Amino acid sequence: MTTTESAQPVAASVRPPAGSRRTPAAHGERPLRLVVVTTVTVAILALVAWPIVAALLGSLHDWNPLNGTYRWVGTANYRRLFADPVFWTSSVNTVVFMAGAIIGRVVLGMALAYAVHSSLTRVRTLHRTLLYLPTVTPLVAVAYVWRLMYNPQFGAVNSILGLDVNWLYDSRFALPAVMVMTIWKDFGFGVILYLAGLYALPADVLEAAQVDGAGAWARFRRVIWPMLRPTTLFVVVTSMIGYLQAFVQVFVLTDGGPGDSTSLLPYLIYQQAFVKYNFGYASAAAFVLFVATAALTVLSFRAQRGPWRGKAQ
Amino acid sequence: MRRRIASICLNTGLLAVSAVTIFPFVWMLMSSFKNADEIASVDQHLLPRVWTLANYRSIQEHFDVVRLFGNSLLLSVAITGIAVYTSLLGGYVFGKYRFRGRGPLFALVLATMMIPWAVVLIPRYTMFTGAGLQDSYASIIIPAAISSFGIFLMRQSMDNVPDEVLEAARIDGASELYIFHRIVAPLSVNAISALAIFQFLWVWEDYLWPYLMLTTPSKQVLAVGLTTFSGQYSTDYGGLFAATTVSIIPVVIVYVIFQKRFVAGAASAAVKG
């Protein structure tokens, strides 16, 4: 940077006052800015905006690309959807699955992050590496590993627990089994985020609490939990968006069965579209999922602004 | 003394949780070297009594796993390269330039991260098949070429690039592309590595889109090959163990090598958000 040394004070003196909306050196920016803004806009329009409009339009049609049907039917797909017991089972399953997986991720994530944070420095990296490993491995492959683990004949789950349960073919256990696999796969993300949150905490606050004689639980309850609220919000919102779209684990582990006991909304959409070729019906279900996702996301951010925020910020 | 005991308990507990976490991987790896009798046996042991490579030979015979592995590798590397470059460029423009419409457009980029794939899947499918792109790698690469998450992550990392350095370079007459390649990119190396690993993993594990778009079996990716293999040879458990091992191990190796940057990257997405 030797060549810039003489120029730097000059640059600093011509620098516009803070908060100015003008850029310091506008020359040459324009072409690059134009290319990027145009590309991003075109990509969003072509790959996101138009598909959403097309899905909405498609949901109002009897639509089968196999035989070329595309016939206006108004709200018939939605009426059929809301009268379909599989839709309601799938919706309840989706909510149960999402709630269980989020609670697992938050509880395990925070507890283990707190444990790793308080553990010996020497082993911290090792634990962090191991706990995050399932999160960074391909979902399709680990879902197969778990399918084999749940095998009633030779699977590790029954061998270790000394049970004789057909996990994936018993409607009482199939959804919990899918949830356990998902929690195992994803809790590491919670650990990493909470660890980052813990490192960002001001050390003096924790020390002050310790000096004041607060026990481990009181420190957690009164100091750490409230101060980690922004992290919790982030984990909850991203998990919600993610788990409302969970598909691969159901596809690999159970195919929605036995019965409809593990059918989640994305699985129903996939089935209707690419197995039964009811694109209109599937689009209606997809649009309901879209509205639900948007509503839940908005609600969570509202909640943050409300009582959630507390003293953390 | 009490603190010492507490510390020992905590570390033992953590070690136990870590062991449980990696157990499925160990079990899969060990089982992939067992013969069929031992896999189906009621009396299970973690280590194989007789080590065999038969399962790995069997998957190569049944589906060309080397070929599919190569396809996945090619697509993952190509898409990762493209997406990291476009994300860095997007992050630079959104992070360092001031222009009208920047706020709303960036908000729009963020909003696309919240769109469920199920909503855009069907129209995209009809668009790409309608454009005659089915069974081409273009259909896999185009939707992944620009990443909202990538632009978001890179914009976050632009705080590490001081405005003064950019100004100084501009006054020295450096072109914007020179600044981008010689100053911005080298200063973003942590974010680049984090995004590269994320992106690589996403392409590597992507299942549904390649499954719908690629129709020629030899062009298929490994994740889809895995499900096809499992469907056709549903009783070849040894093969399934070997095939899943092949599709997991490369990612594990990449992760273990780069884990420090990866963890930092994952955390930075949230903390500064």
Side-chain angles (χ1 to χ4, degrees):
Chain A
M1 278 288 135
T2 45
T3 52
T4 59
E5 239 156 50
S6 60
Q8 202 138 10
V10 182
S13 67
V14 296
R15 205 169 153 212
S20 159
R21 294 192 49 85
R22 266 214 55 213
T23 164
H27 75 277
E29 271 189 26
R30 188 176 285 248
L32 191 60
R33 198 184 76 202
L34 221 65
V35 169
V36 168
V37 168
T38 313
T39 316
V40 168
T41 311
V42 168
I44 289 179
L45 285 179
L47 292 166
V48 183
W50 168 242
I52 290 174
V53 175
L56 182 60
L57 284 175
S59 72
L60 303 170
H61 286 80
D62 176 14
W63 181 10
N64 181 341
L66 267 198
N67 54 25
T69 312
Y70 193 72
R71 192 169 52 85
W72 177 266
V73 291
T75 57
N77 284 322
Y78 289 94
R79 277 181 276 132
R80 236 180 87 207
L81 185 71
F82 292 130
D84 184 351
V86 181
F87 168 73
W88 292 108
T89 315
S90 304
S91 301
V92 172
N93 288 345
T94 306
V95 171
V96 170
F97 171 85
M98 180 177 74
I102 292 178
I103 291 169
R105 199 179 210 179
V106 168
V107 170
L108 279 176
M110 195 182 293
L112 288 169
Y114 192 34
V116 171
H117 190 69
S118 346
S119 74
L120 301 171
T121 337
R122 271 169 293 152
V123 288
R124 229 175 251 172
T125 313
L126 174 73
H127 287 313
R128 210 183 53 185
T129 308
L130 295 181
L131 295 176
Y132 201 37
L133 194 58
T135 312
V136 297
T137 41
L139 179 56
V140 182
V142 294
Y144 273 108
V145 177
W146 277 81
R147 200 173 97 178
L148 296 163
M149 297 239 304
Y150 283 132
N151 186 294
Q153 188 194 347
F154 59 79
V157 175
N158 276 348
S159 309
I160 289 168
L161 299 177
L163 293 173
D164 186 22
V165 177
N166 200 344
W167 297 98
L168 301 175
Y169 290 89
D170 187 321
S171 56
R172 287 169 301 169
F173 299 118
L175 189 62
V178 175
M179 282 160 70
V180 167
M181 185 257 137
T182 305
I183 291 171
W184 169 83
K185 170 85 169 74
D186 289 342
F187 76 92
F189 185 62
V191 175
I192 296 301
L193 294 183
Y194 278 116
L195 259 179
L198 283 168
Y199 281 119
L201 284 187
D204 51 328
V205 175
L206 277 178
E207 266 166 40
Q210 205 152 11
V211 170
D212 288 350
W217 174 248
R219 282 203 303 274
F220 177 77
R221 180 72 192 79
R222 305 263 170 215
V223 182
I224 295 173
W225 168 249
M227 294 192 82
L228 287 180
R229 264 178 195 167
T231 312
T232 305
L233 180 86
F234 184 85
V235 175
V236 169
V237 172
T238 50
S239 307
M240 225 161 53
I241 296 170
Y243 289 142
L244 276 173
Q245 313 190 52
F247 169 76
V248 165
Q249 50 271 69
V250 172
F251 186 82
V252 169
L253 288 174
T254 62
D255 263 327
D260 302 316
S261 61
T262 58
S263 174
L264 304 180
L265 280 177
Y267 186 77
L268 173 114
I269 294 165
Y270 162 79
Q271 276 279 325
Q272 286 295 338
F274 296 103
V275 179
K276 298 177 180 161
Y277 283 96
N278 294 324
F279 272 38
Y281 190 71
S283 295
F287 220 77
V288 170
L289 180 68
F290 174 46
V291 171
T293 310
L296 278 173
T297 310
V298 170
L299 275 178
S300 318
F301 281 108
R302 277 270 168 80
Q304 186 208 21
R305 264 185 239 125
W308 254 85
R309 195 155 186 151
K311 296 172 201 139
Q313 287 285 305
Chain B
M1 192 60 199
R2 250 191 80 192
R3 284 193 80 160
R4 228 188 124 72
I5 293 171
S7 165
I8 292 170
C9 288
L10 181 76
N11 283 289
T12 319
L14 261 182
L15 213 60
V17 175
S18 295
V20 171
T21 306
I22 59 158
F23 176 79
F25 297 112
V26 179
W27 185 68
M28 167 199 73
L29 186 65
M30 289 303 137
S31 300
S32 73
F33 295 113
K34 290 176 184 170
N35 61 37
D37 289 345
E38 216 179 312
I39 286 172
S41 146
V42 181
D43 182 27
Q44 288 282 320
H45 296 271
L46 192 55
L47 287 177
R49 291 216 183 93
V50 187
W51 294 75
T52 170
L53 285 173
N55 296 323
Y56 289 90
R57 278 195 291 269
S58 123
I59 51 166
Q60 180 57 27
E61 274 162 31
H62 286 134
F63 76 114
D64 194 349
V65 64
V66 174
R67 173 75 195 256
L68 300 197
F69 189 96
N71 295 345
S72 277
L73 198 65
L74 177 82
L75 276 173
S76 302
V77 170
I79 293 175
T80 302
I82 297 170
V84 167
Y85 188 81
T86 58
S87 298
L88 190 59
L89 209 53
Y92 175 52
V93 169
F94 280 110
K96 289 297 182 202
Y97 289 0
R98 306 275 175 278
F99 54 92
R100 210 153 23 120
R102 183 181 75 143
L105 187 57
F106 187 67
L108 206 60
V109 171
L110 291 188
T112 61
M113 285 201 271
M114 289 155 202
I115 309 295
W117 57 261
V119 180
V120 291
L121 181 74
I122 296 168
R124 271 190 198 175
Y125 174 80
T126 54
M127 268 167 62
F128 277 84
T129 47
L133 288 172
Q134 200 165 26
D135 209 27
S136 78
Y137 281 167
S139 67
I140 311 295
I141 294 170
I142 292 170
I146 295 178
S147 151
S148 308
F149 175 79
I151 295 177
F152 164 68
L153 192 70
M154 290 305 181
R155 206 199 82 132
Q156 300 277 74
S157 86
M158 284 304 147
D159 293 351
N160 301 330
V161 183
D163 285 333
E164 290 77 9
V165 175
L166 303 180
E167 286 158 28
R170 280 180 193 129
I171 285 166
D172 282 354
S175 75
E176 281 302 303
L177 279 180
Y178 181 92
I179 292 174
F180 175 71
H181 290 121
R182 295 301 174 89
I183 298 171
V184 175
L187 284 172
S188 311
V189 67
N190 268 331
I192 291 175
S193 350
L195 179 63
I197 301 171
F198 271 126
Q199 191 66 53
F200 186 91
L201 173 68
W202 289 334
V203 185
W204 190 267
E205 75 173 359
D206 193 15
Y207 168 77
L208 193 52
W209 186 246
Y211 172 69
L212 293 175
M213 292 316 290
L214 302 175
T215 47
T216 310
S218 64
K219 278 190 187 172
Q220 208 32 281
V221 297
L222 193 57
V224 177
L226 205 58
T227 59
T228 320
F229 174 77
S230 154
Q232 278 169 351
Y233 307 95
S234 53
T235 50
D236 182 4
Y237 294 117
L240 201 49
F241 278 118
T244 46
T245 306
V246 169
S247 63
I248 288 176
I249 294 296
V251 184
V252 170
I253 292 172
V254 171
Y255 166 62
V256 170
I257 295 172
F258 293 104
Q259 59 91 14
K260 219 172 159 184
R261 284 204 167 126
F262 193 66
V263 168
S268 75
V271 170
K272 291 200 289 179

